[in-house]
Amino acid sequence: MAFVRACGLSELEEDTPKRVELDGTPVSVVRTEGEVFAINDICSHANVSLSEGEVEDCQIECWLHGSAFDLRTGKPSGLPATRPVPVYPVKIEGDDVLVSLSQES
């Protein structure tokens, strides 16, 4: 599993998504509840950036229609979204946040 640097850990504010592009894939990197998560940045319901939404209770909310996605699984917790979005493995090395685009789910 190949990991690439997404950003610095020091660049992440708690509960504030950071949009990065890795090999042409938009990814939202989120630091919350003592962990760092990487989730595809495009809502499965509407083609909008999830990183523009809010993070709460380990979920990221789509700002357009209000669907929230679990940062651990990518599964939506409510309508209108019904399909999950991909989540990606993350590891921390020093200040580097590394993400693998191999999907966990």
Side-chain angles (χ1 to χ4, degrees):
M1 188 178 311
F3 283 84
V4 295
R5 184 181 189 280
C7 61
L9 186 60
S10 60
E11 296 174 51
L12 297 176
E13 294 180 37
E14 186 76 10
D15 296 330
T16 303
K18 179 174 182 63
R19 185 182 197 277
V20 297
E21 194 160 308
L22 305 175
D23 295 330
T25 301
V27 176
S28 183
V29 181
V30 181
R31 183 180 197 169
T32 187
E33 299 181 6
E35 295 184 65
V36 177
F37 300 93
I39 189 167
N40 191 283
D41 192 46
I42 304 301
C43 177
S44 63
H45 170 256
N47 190 25
V48 298
S49 175
L50 291 175
S51 63
E52 296 178 32
E54 295 182 5
V55 173
E56 187 176 341
D57 297 328
C58 212
Q59 296 184 64
I60 188 167
E61 183 181 51
C62 177
W63 61 270
L64 187 59
H65 295 116
S67 287
F69 297 88
D70 190 302
L71 291 168
R72 298 166 292 229
T73 66
K75 293 180 181 175
S77 63
L79 297 174
T82 58
R83 292 176 293 131
V85 294
V87 296
Y88 307 106
V90 173
K91 67 181 180 178
I92 309 298
E93 290 183 356
D95 186 56
D96 292 332
V97 176
L98 305 173
V99 174
S100 173
L101 291 181
S102 299
Q103 288 182 212
E104 285 187 348
S105 66

